[in-house]
Amino acid sequence: MPADANPYGDIFGGWLMSQMDLAAGAVAARHANGRAVTVAADKMAFHRPVFVGDEVSVYAELVAVGRTSMQVEVQAWRRARHSDERNKVTQARFSFVAVAEDRRSRPVPPLPGLREAAE
C-alpha cells in the first residue's frame, strides 16, 4: 500500500522484514508447540525492490534446532500485478527461542527427520 512505500513507490525494507518475521514466527511457534520469540535476523539481503501494487509471497522453512532455539530461513518473492514473472527480492535467517508462561526459555523438539544420537 502507498503508506508502506517511499516517495518513489518502493516498499520499505522494514515492512518487508516484518512480513518475513511473521512467517518465520508462525513456523517457529508451530514447531515449539507454543510461544517463540525472535532473537535475531541474520544475513538479510535485499536483491530487488518491491513496488506498490506488487504481490508478495513469503516462504519460511525450519532449518536448525538447538535445545531451546530454532533457525528459520525465509525468502520473499514479488510478482507484478499483471505479470507471471516472479523474482526473489530478499532472504534472511531468523533465530527464535521458545518461551514458557514465565517467559523463560524452554526446550523444543528435535528437527523432524533427524534421528537421536546413539548413546
Side-chain angles (χ1 to χ4, degrees):
M1 297 303 294
D4 300 315
N6 65 27
Y8 300 103
D10 301 334
I11 298 299
F12 292 128
W15 179 87
L16 190 54
M17 187 175 184
S18 71
Q19 301 306 301
M20 295 169 72
D21 190 29
L22 285 169
V27 169
R30 186 173 41 223
H31 180 75
N33 296 311
R35 186 175 181 186
V37 296
T38 308
V39 295
D42 297 317
K43 301 180 183 176
M44 189 83 163
F46 292 95
H47 306 293
R48 293 173 177 236
V50 176
F51 304 107
V52 170
D54 284 353
E55 175 186 278
V56 176
S57 299
V58 180
Y59 303 95
E61 178 184 14
L62 183 67
V63 295
V65 172
R67 192 178 77 73
T68 63
S69 65
M70 297 156 285
Q71 303 241 328
V72 181
E73 281 288 333
V74 185
Q75 294 182 358
W77 291 70
R78 71 167 283 277
R79 183 184 63 79
R81 183 171 297 256
H82 303 293
S83 172
D84 289 330
E85 183 180 349
R86 297 175 57 232
N87 305 107
K88 182 166 65 170
V89 294
T90 189
Q91 64 189 58
R93 179 173 286 207
F94 287 77
S95 298
F96 290 83
V97 170
V99 294
E101 292 284 325
D102 63 3
R103 299 188 184 225
R104 293 179 185 247
S105 62
R106 63 180 175 81
V108 295
L111 190 63
L114 292 182
R115 296 187 336 197
E116 292 289 324
E119 293 184 22

